[in-house]
Amino acid sequence: MAIKLNDKFLNGFVSDHEIHAMDDAVIGAHSKIWNKTGLGNDYLGWVDLPVNYDKEEFLRIKEAAEKIRTSCDILIVIGIGGSYLGARAAIEFCKSPYYNNLKKDTPDIYFAGCNISAQATKELLEICEGKDVCLNVISKSGTTTEPAIAFRIFREMLIKKYGPDCIKDRVYITTDRQKGTLKSFADEMGCQTFVVPDDCGGRYSVLTAVGLLPIAVAGISIDDMMEGAAAAREAFAPCDLENNDCLKYAAYRNILRNKGKKTEILVDYEPCMTMMNEWWKQLFGESEGKDNKGLFPASVVFTTDLHSLGQYIQEGERLIFETILSIKDTGAVVEVPHDEANVDGLNFLTGKSLEFVNSMAYKGAVIAHTDGGVPAMILELDSRTAYDFGYMVYFFEMACGISGYMLGVNPFNQPGVEAYKKNMFALLGKPGYEEQKAELEARINA
Ligand code: PA5
């Protein structure tokens, strides 16, 4: 069992009858997912993905990853949102946040097109000097501005480096199966393509080629990852609130929200979780934040953030609850050394592992925070393997779908993301947006 929910720190915040009262809502949400009867039911491909994926493409992903590993020093993954976060989260979780600096026989992996920063782009162009580079461009729509701009820039870099014929060998494209500008570009240039399935929204796509190609390039076993996801699918399929931790997590989130806890903080104690936190925030933020509803998903990595946000959590406005993701085996053992002079007075820790010290910080913090009025749930994760990653991803995806239906929203659309894009296009002078441009400029200059 890769993930287990421990609810002992909800004592005093949520009572048994409240969880039982969620039974009908959970049964309804569960049925909407598994019988595909809810809003957004065209986007439920992720539910069966771990057992029903394109095996031929899966093999091609492994072959392409091997080719990329042997033909470049750097892979630049170009994408944003759901076309970016999952792969980065997996690489940092399974390998390291320092992945690029580790001794390894796989390429460095950088991410571009996830911002419009001139500085970040210029620095990455400099990093690529004198290195062999491949690109994996990922965009379901093929029209998203940030990755499209980055693709132009890094494509130009490749052509300058290797000449125009290099594109077919150095650019791997993950996009819609049939349509869109990226697909047409790939067909015209002869690039290898991978598919973002029609029935998987961006934030539910990490276990498709979107995530799997960069993850495989990093030398992470995508077989193990799919196996973990498949095990989670089996574990969390039963409609049994008492024994299904995924359903319980969704139910507790909704109970706490109904009690005025409007912000959920995902708490972890390992820096390898930083990007996983970002993936989780997108998953829940885009799935639930609509119709003027939804928990605000926030995250911290302790103990680092105990020295920044710890004060607020302890004594600030009481609108938060914590979901602590605790990794049982982090895969590393480092001990506190002895210091004869004992200048810092820490010799009582001599020989203790950092894991032990970290776990005491965790226990101390959770008790302090619950004493301070912050309910906490603990998700205990076994370790940091590809299997665990797949398991955890599926757990959160399923919990998010269930929780979103319990909230009464469509967890699989993201209409709000368009608002800034329309304004940006208008302000940038995109043809067809003339009226909006004049109106926005008048507001800006008023
Ligand atoms: O979850 C989503 O659907 C979004 O975050 C998208 O992944 C993101 O906007 C990028 O879209 P696209 O893959 O079409 O470039």
Side-chain angles (χ1 to χ4, degrees):
M1 188 179 299
I3 272 195
K4 198 170 160 25
L5 186 139
N6 182 334
D7 55 8
K8 69 180 169 199
F9 289 105
L10 287 179
N11 258 341
F13 296 104
V14 179
S15 39
D16 279 353
H17 69 266
E18 288 175 286
I19 186 89
H20 292 310
M22 280 289 163
D23 246 336
D24 288 349
V26 167
I27 291 167
H30 182 275
S31 155
K32 283 180 182 162
I33 296 273
W34 288 94
N35 297 320
K36 299 191 182 342
T37 51
L39 290 168
N41 57 8
D42 287 352
Y43 289 92
L44 287 167
W46 56 271
V47 174
D48 292 329
L49 192 65
V51 289
N52 186 20
Y53 57 91
D54 181 340
K55 309 284 185 310
E56 182 274 328
E57 183 181 63
F58 198 75
L59 272 182
R60 283 199 303 115
I61 290 172
K62 291 200 232 175
E63 283 161 13
E66 181 55 30
K67 194 171 160 214
I68 293 169
R69 279 199 292 266
T70 52
S71 61
C72 70
D73 308 307
I74 292 178
L75 171 69
I76 300 178
V77 179
I78 296 179
I80 196 165
S83 293
Y84 143 73
L85 285 162
R88 188 157 174 199
I91 293 167
E92 296 203 4
F93 177 84
C94 299
K95 292 284 180 176
S96 164
Y98 305 126
Y99 166 80
N100 283 343
N101 304 99
L102 297 177
K103 279 196 197 124
K104 59 188 186 306
D105 56 5
T106 50
D108 288 351
I109 299 179
Y110 289 92
F111 294 87
C114 43
N115 53 53
I116 320 178
S117 162
Q119 190 200 352
T121 307
K122 182 171 169 280
E123 286 166 2
L124 187 50
L125 285 167
E126 281 168 17
I127 288 169
C128 290
E129 280 169 20
K131 302 276 168 89
D132 279 321
V133 180
C134 286
L135 308 182
N136 179 198
V137 188
I138 309 171
S139 177
K140 184 173 186 176
S141 62
T143 54
T144 308
T145 312
E146 291 89 341
I149 293 174
F151 185 31
R152 273 194 181 208
I153 293 169
F154 287 98
R155 190 165 73 228
E156 183 190 50
M157 181 201 75
L158 285 186
I159 291 172
K160 278 190 189 149
K161 234 180 203 311
Y162 304 103
D165 289 346
C166 74
I167 298 298
K168 65 178 186 322
D169 296 318
R170 295 199 168 267
V171 177
Y172 296 79
I173 290 183
T174 309
T175 190
D176 190 89
R177 185 184 304 279
Q178 278 165 337
K179 57 182 191 298
T181 46
L182 262 186
K183 176 68 180 146
S184 314
F185 175 90
D187 291 345
E188 198 182 310
M189 303 303 288
C191 300
Q192 194 169 351
T193 56
F194 298 93
V195 173
V196 190
D198 289 340
D199 55 2
C200 279
R203 58 191 177 275
Y204 292 84
S205 70
V206 54
L207 299 176
T208 71
V210 169
L212 295 178
L213 180 57
I215 290 169
V217 172
I220 297 164
S221 167
I222 58 174
D223 289 294
D224 291 358
M225 198 167 276
M226 295 307 274
E227 212 182 291
R233 180 180 173 278
E234 203 180 319
F236 302 124
C239 188
D240 174 2
L241 182 54
E242 193 62 42
N243 296 303
N244 183 332
D245 282 348
C246 189
L247 302 184
K248 243 191 214 173
Y249 172 55
Y252 278 137
R253 298 178 80 249
N254 279 280
I255 293 170
L256 291 164
R257 186 185 55 82
N258 290 339
K259 292 182 151 191
K261 303 295 184 191
K262 302 292 186 196
T263 299
E264 176 180 15
I265 307 182
L266 186 67
V267 177
D268 22 64
Y269 282 76
E270 294 295 331
C272 71
M273 279 295 296
T274 303
M275 289 309 299
M276 187 67 206
N277 289 350
E278 298 306 312
W279 175 86
W280 175 89
K281 285 193 276 197
Q282 189 210 2
L283 179 68
F284 281 93
E286 272 192 1
S287 300
E288 292 194 324
K290 52 198 69 158
D291 306 333
N292 297 330
K293 294 195 273 195
L295 282 163
F296 182 76
S299 69
V300 289
V301 180
F302 289 164
T303 61
T304 310
D305 295 330
L306 281 170
H307 298 260
S308 57
L309 291 169
Q311 170 63 35
Y312 189 99
I313 295 170
Q314 192 66 50
E315 296 182 347
E317 201 171 342
R318 302 297 72 189
L319 43 70
I320 52 188
F321 72 91
E322 293 184 334
T323 297
I324 301 165
L325 204 136
S326 151
I327 304 173
K328 279 196 232 158
D329 178 5
T330 63
V333 181
V334 176
E335 288 181 358
V336 179
H338 186 71
D339 175 19
E340 211 46 64
N342 197 20
V343 280
D344 49 15
L346 288 179
N347 271 353
F348 72 98
L349 293 178
T350 296
K352 298 268 191 296
S353 73
L354 292 194
E355 248 190 347
F356 170 77
V357 180
N358 211 13
S359 72
M360 291 305 126
Y362 147 49
K363 286 175 185 163
V366 67
I367 291 172
H369 292 173
T370 46
D371 285 351
V374 177
M377 273 180 275
I378 301 166
L379 297 174
E380 292 162 348
L381 183 67
D382 285 342
S383 57
R384 284 180 52 202
T385 63
Y387 179 97
D388 291 288
F389 184 85
Y391 199 102
M392 171 169 58
V393 157
Y394 194 90
F395 172 88
F396 281 130
E397 287 178 348
M398 181 55 77
C400 186
I402 299 278
S403 181
Y405 279 144
M406 289 175 75
L407 182 65
V409 299
N410 175 354
F412 307 113
N413 66 359
Q414 54 285 329
V417 180
E418 295 308 311
Y420 99 92
K421 289 187 193 168
K422 283 183 196 143
N423 288 350
M424 179 179 74
F425 288 146
L427 290 168
L428 286 169
K430 187 171 177 174
Y433 287 74
E434 293 74 10
E435 223 172 280
Q436 290 100 311
K437 180 176 165 66
E439 190 213 312
L440 290 170
E441 283 177 349
R443 282 171 65 186
I444 289 166
N445 299 325

